[in-house]
């Protein structure tokens, strides 16, 4: 946690794209590093021409600033510990959770804290669902309930006791309805994944704006083919042709959950310069978290640029400021190691309509965002969305070869934060199936070599080289890493772009084009919203 920054502090935050660690964590790291020597690499090659010096100095300036900020964070961590010992969570002013036993199915996940918050308030329901058919069992116990969500924990076992996953949330056979069978909840998702190897599954449903005093949870699981399994000996899926009936139904009284919530309508709208429209509609506070609802839509111009299924990949970058507790919480979308909302709903049921919109809901955990904070400011820092974009670069091989005698990198390609620095080129023998239908003729095709740093994973990228006569040559990229590094970047130290069929006699000048579907990041936003406050919280009375 860190204090609310001034404009200069926030500017550095945006440059570094990361929130600093918690003070306790920083202090422990500094203690571990006490007395450890750190050595720099002996030799680093950079551009030496003027424009490249500027690029290098900009990078070194950000790096130096990062060192200063981290050093300041280490000082702050030390200063944080000076004086009386502080309780672990007192910075958020959260009361300690009750020391009560937690059921096994919730014990080893962060839902254990949810259970401790909801159980004393009577918001944990045990339907005692235990169905066995032909030795296959289904169990549902300890359902977590509040005004925002209903969380089911499901256990499924084969006759030998092993865990199976025949029922899963996306199959759409578990419904939450009113007494007339009308759906009143949508399947949401966890912001953080459940631990691998868990023998339990979570079904998270977000309730609609209007719900009855009693809801029905119904599992339409009759005639369920459950015999399919993976045979590790044959390394294949097998089907035993086993059909079971795991159908169930139980009711949940929602009167207490509805009474222990504060709902505030909102009407705050903002449209980015690119045409992304955000419309905040509601803030819901419950004992188990704070939920912000908004509608997301695109202008016709932006819709024409985005890729298919943009709604599944679009993410908001934002932070929350809470003056009362001096909190500053950054939520950086789907970045590596980024903080996530506790629960997230992307309701796309209205997207197919004219001017359709997606409903986006983010629920923040009380351990991260204080539920009883009266003043919370939402600050939009940017957003990411998959867009198609074309960028070209004029290549002069003779100039590259001349510059290579003096410079490490001789050509630069930039697009949406992705950067390739070309250092050299060669002609290498390749099996050129593009020009020989037999696929057995070797030709010396052009290979551009260099270093690449990519903010965006390759997803539908198309590279092509066009010579001065307009002939196109397919380009193949070799050396792109499968996974990003800890900073969320894909770094390729030995990147190669193979221009298939471009030989020594093909000329020395051509245009290199990249048409990419990239997770474009936009920071040209300016939107701050003071979220609705409250008079009192019913669960604290």
């Amino acid at each position: 946690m860190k204090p609310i920054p001034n404009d200069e502090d926030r500017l550095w935050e945006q440059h570094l794209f990361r929130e600093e660690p918690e003070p306790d964590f920083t202090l422990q790291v500094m203690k571990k590093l006490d007395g450890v020597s750190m050595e720099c690499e002996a030799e680093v090659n950079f551009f030496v021409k003027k424009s490249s010096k500027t690029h290098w100095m900009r990078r070194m300036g950000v790096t130096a600033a990062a060192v200063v900020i981290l050093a300041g964070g280490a000082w702050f961590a030390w200063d944080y510990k000076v004086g009386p010992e502080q309780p672990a969570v007192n910075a958020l002013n959260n009361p300690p959770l009750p020391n009560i036993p937690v059921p096994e199915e919730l014990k080893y996940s962060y839902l254990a804290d949810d259970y401790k918050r909801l159980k004393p308030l009577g918001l944990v329901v045990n339907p005692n669902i235990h169905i066995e058919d032909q030795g296959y069992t289904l169990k549902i116990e300890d359902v977590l309930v509040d005004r925002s969500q209903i969380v089911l924990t499901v256990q499924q076992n084969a006759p030998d006791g092993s865990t199976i996953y025949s029922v899963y949330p996306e199959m759409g056979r578990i419904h939450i309805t009113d007494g007339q069978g009308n759906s009143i909840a949508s399947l949401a998702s966890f912001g953080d994944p459940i631990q691998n190897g868990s023998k339990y599954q979570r079904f998270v449903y977000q309730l609609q704006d209007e719900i009855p005093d009693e809801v029905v949870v119904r599992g339409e699981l009759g005639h369920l083919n459950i015999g399919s399994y993976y045979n590790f000996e044959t390394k294949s899926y097998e089907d035993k042709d086993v059909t079971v009936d795991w159908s169930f139904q139980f009711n949940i009284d929602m009167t207490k959950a509805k009474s222990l919530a504060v709902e505030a309508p909102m009407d705050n709208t903002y449209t980015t310069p690119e045409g992304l429209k955000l419309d905040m509609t509601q803030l819901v506070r419950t004992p188990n978290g704070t939920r912000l609802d908004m509608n997301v839509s695109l202008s016709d111009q932006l819709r024409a640029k985005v890729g298919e299924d943009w709604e599944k990949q679009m993410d908001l970058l934002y932070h929350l400021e809470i003056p009362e507790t001096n909190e500053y919480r950054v939520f950086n979308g789907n970045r590596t190691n980024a903080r996530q909302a506790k629960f997230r709903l992307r309701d796309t049921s209205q997207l197919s309509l004219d001017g359709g919109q997606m409903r986006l809901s983010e629920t923040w955990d009380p351990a991260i965002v204080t539920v009883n904070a009266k003043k919370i400011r939402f600050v939009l820092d940017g957003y990411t969305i998959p867009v198609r974009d074309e960028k070209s670069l004029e290549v002069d091989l003779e100039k590259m070869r001349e510059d290579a005698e003096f410079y490490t990198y001789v050509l630069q390609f930039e697009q949406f934060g992705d950067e390739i620095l070309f250092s050299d080129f060669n002609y290498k023998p390749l099996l050129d199936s593009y020009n020989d239908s037999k696929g057995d003729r070797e030709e010396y095709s052009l290979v551009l070599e260099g270093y690449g740093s990519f903010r965006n994973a390759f997803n539908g990228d198309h590279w092509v080289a066009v010579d001065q006569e307009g002939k196109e040559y397919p380009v193949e990229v070799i050396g792109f890493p499968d996974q990003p590094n800890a900073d969320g970047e894909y770094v390729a130290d030995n990147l190669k772009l193979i221009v298939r069929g471009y030989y020594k006699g093909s000329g020395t000048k051509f245009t290199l084009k990249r048409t990419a579907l990239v997770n474009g990041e936009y920071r040209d936003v300016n939107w701050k919203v003071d979220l609705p406050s409250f008079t009192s919280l019913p669960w604290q009375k």
Side-chain angles (χ1 to χ4, degrees):
M1 181 186 63
K2 55 186 177 183
I4 296 174
N6 56 32
D7 291 340
E8 183 179 1
D9 293 333
R10 188 174 296 115
L11 181 62
W12 280 116
E13 173 98 36
Q14 293 174 355
H15 274 293
L16 297 172
F17 301 110
R18 284 294 178 271
E19 184 184 21
E20 67 184 59
E22 297 287 356
D24 283 341
F25 175 79
T26 305
L27 178 60
Q28 295 303 318
V29 172
M30 296 305 292
K31 286 181 178 178
K32 292 290 186 181
L33 293 177
D34 187 26
V36 177
S37 174
M38 297 184 182
E39 297 181 0
C40 297
E41 185 130 352
E43 182 179 351
V44 182
N45 293 320
F46 296 96
F47 278 112
V48 294
K49 57 184 179 180
K50 182 177 181 181
S51 63
S52 301
K53 280 185 177 180
T54 304
H55 181 78
W56 170 77
M57 289 176 67
R58 183 174 72 248
R59 284 191 164 184
M60 292 302 292
V62 172
T63 303
V67 172
V68 171
I69 290 176
L70 288 176
W75 172 86
F76 176 69
W78 176 262
D79 185 65
Y80 178 84
K81 282 296 184 180
V82 173
E85 189 70 12
Q86 302 289 335
V89 295
N90 86 312
L92 296 175
N93 289 338
N94 278 332
L97 295 174
N99 185 19
I100 59 177
V102 178
E104 181 186 359
E105 66 267 24
L106 302 174
K107 186 178 297 183
Y108 302 106
S109 71
Y110 63 82
L111 292 180
D113 286 351
D114 294 3
Y115 179 89
K116 291 182 178 181
R117 293 187 190 100
L118 298 177
K119 180 65 174 178
L121 299 173
L123 297 181
V124 177
V125 177
N126 188 347
N128 288 315
I129 300 297
H130 186 167
I131 304 173
E132 182 174 349
D133 188 352
Q134 302 178 60
Y136 294 88
T137 59
L138 173 74
K139 293 183 181 180
I140 302 177
E141 299 174 341
D142 299 305
V143 178
L144 306 181
V145 180
D146 67 7
R147 174 59 187 86
S148 283
Q149 287 92 14
I150 292 178
V151 181
L152 308 179
T153 301
V154 179
Q155 182 179 357
Q156 306 167 59
N157 296 106
D160 61 0
S162 61
T163 300
I164 57 177
Y165 300 101
S166 297
V167 180
Y168 48 91
E170 292 76 14
M171 72 186 306
R173 295 178 67 172
I174 296 180
H175 308 278
I176 298 180
T177 69
D178 60 17
Q180 289 71 47
N182 302 308
S183 177
I184 50 92
S186 302
L187 184 67
S189 64
F190 282 89
D192 297 318
I194 300 301
Q195 297 92 332
N196 291 331
S198 172
K199 60 181 179 180
Y200 304 102
Q201 287 179 287
R202 319 288 191 225
F203 292 67
V204 182
Y205 293 90
Q206 179 169 307
L207 297 164
Q208 294 179 0
D209 296 341
E210 299 293 333
I211 59 172
D213 290 339
E214 186 174 71
V215 302
V216 180
V217 181
R218 186 178 71 256
E220 298 177 345
L221 302 176
H223 307 288
L224 180 65
N225 186 351
I226 206 169
S228 299
Y229 69 99
Y230 185 76
N231 189 319
F232 287 92
E233 293 184 359
T234 62
K235 296 183 179 180
S236 63
Y237 285 92
E238 298 185 8
D239 194 339
K240 288 186 176 181
D241 195 24
V242 177
T243 302
V244 301
D245 185 356
W246 276 354
S247 299
F248 66 86
Q249 179 174 314
F250 61 90
N251 296 353
I252 299 178
D253 186 344
M254 296 297 299
T255 55
K256 178 171 287 190
K258 292 168 64 175
S259 67
L260 297 180
V262 177
E263 303 173 65
M266 299 180 64
D267 186 17
N268 299 83
T269 302
Y270 174 71
T271 302
T272 71
E274 291 78 22
L276 179 77
K277 182 180 180 181
L278 304 176
D279 180 15
M280 291 184 180
T281 60
Q282 182 178 219
L283 187 74
V284 181
R285 299 175 191 258
T286 76
N288 206 31
T290 303
R291 190 186 90 202
L292 176 64
D293 297 338
M294 68 178 72
N295 295 323
V296 182
S297 58
L298 309 180
S299 67
D300 292 339
Q301 292 79 5
L302 182 57
R303 188 178 294 273
K305 292 175 58 179
V306 301
E308 295 181 4
D309 299 329
W310 65 267
E311 68 278 3
K312 297 179 181 178
Q313 302 177 54
M314 189 278 301
D315 268 306
L316 298 182
L317 312 177
Y318 63 92
H319 71 266
L320 303 176
E321 299 175 356
I322 308 177
E324 296 173 71
T325 50
N326 215 27
E327 294 177 60
Y328 180 68
R329 297 302 191 189
V330 177
F331 293 81
N332 267 344
N334 58 4
R335 289 180 176 277
T336 304
N337 299 323
R339 175 175 291 126
Q340 300 286 326
K342 179 179 181 177
F343 302 124
R344 177 180 292 123
L345 172 68
R346 297 173 188 262
D347 184 353
T348 61
S349 58
Q350 303 298 313
L351 269 180
S352 59
L353 305 177
D354 289 339
Q357 56 192 12
M358 171 181 68
R359 179 181 179 182
L360 177 66
S361 297
E362 301 248 312
T363 301
W364 306 309
D365 191 277
I368 303 299
V369 179
T370 308
V371 173
N372 60 359
K374 289 193 173 183
K375 296 181 180 179
I376 302 178
R377 170 172 287 185
F378 175 98
V379 182
L380 182 66
D381 297 318
Y383 62 96
T384 61
I385 191 169
V387 294
R388 295 185 182 89
D389 184 69
E390 182 174 292
K391 184 69 178 290
S392 62
L393 175 70
E394 298 301 321
V395 180
D396 185 336
L397 297 178
E398 289 183 350
K399 188 175 186 306
M400 284 184 65
R401 186 53 49 87
E402 292 174 359
D403 291 344
E405 297 182 8
F406 304 97
Y407 311 135
T408 301
Y409 297 113
V410 294
L411 200 60
Q412 183 182 35
F413 179 92
E414 288 185 300
Q415 182 187 29
F416 264 120
D418 298 342
E419 180 182 50
I420 298 178
L421 304 176
F422 294 103
S423 57
D424 200 0
F425 69 89
N426 285 290
Y427 295 89
K428 296 185 178 181
L430 304 167
L431 188 62
D432 196 345
S433 58
Y434 288 88
N435 297 319
D436 186 353
S437 60
K438 296 181 180 180
D440 58 359
R441 180 161 60 95
E442 286 190 346
E443 296 286 356
Y444 285 74
S445 289
L446 175 66
V447 178
L448 301 174
E449 301 175 349
Y451 163 90
S453 175
F454 300 86
R455 183 182 298 171
N456 311 284
F458 272 23
N459 182 14
D461 281 19
H462 177 67
W463 291 80
V464 65
V466 183
D467 66 17
Q468 292 184 305
E469 283 72 40
K471 181 180 178 180
E472 294 189 352
Y473 303 83
V475 177
E476 181 181 359
V477 180
I478 303 295
F480 188 85
D482 295 329
Q483 298 295 330
N485 60 19
D487 295 325
E489 291 185 333
Y490 297 80
V491 177
D493 294 318
N494 189 22
L495 193 70
K496 292 181 173 60
L497 272 67
I498 303 172
V499 186
R500 295 271 184 177
Y502 198 94
Y503 312 129
K504 287 185 177 181
S506 300
T508 61
K509 296 181 179 180
F510 62 89
T511 302
L512 181 65
K513 293 183 178 181
R514 179 200 190 195
T515 302
L517 178 63
V518 297
N519 210 29
E521 182 173 306
Y522 297 89
R523 292 273 179 171
D524 54 339
V525 297
N526 183 20
W527 194 36
K528 300 178 181 180
V529 178
D530 291 325
L531 302 182
S533 186
F534 59 89
T535 303
S536 63
L537 297 175
W539 61 88
Q540 293 183 346
K541 294 180 180 179

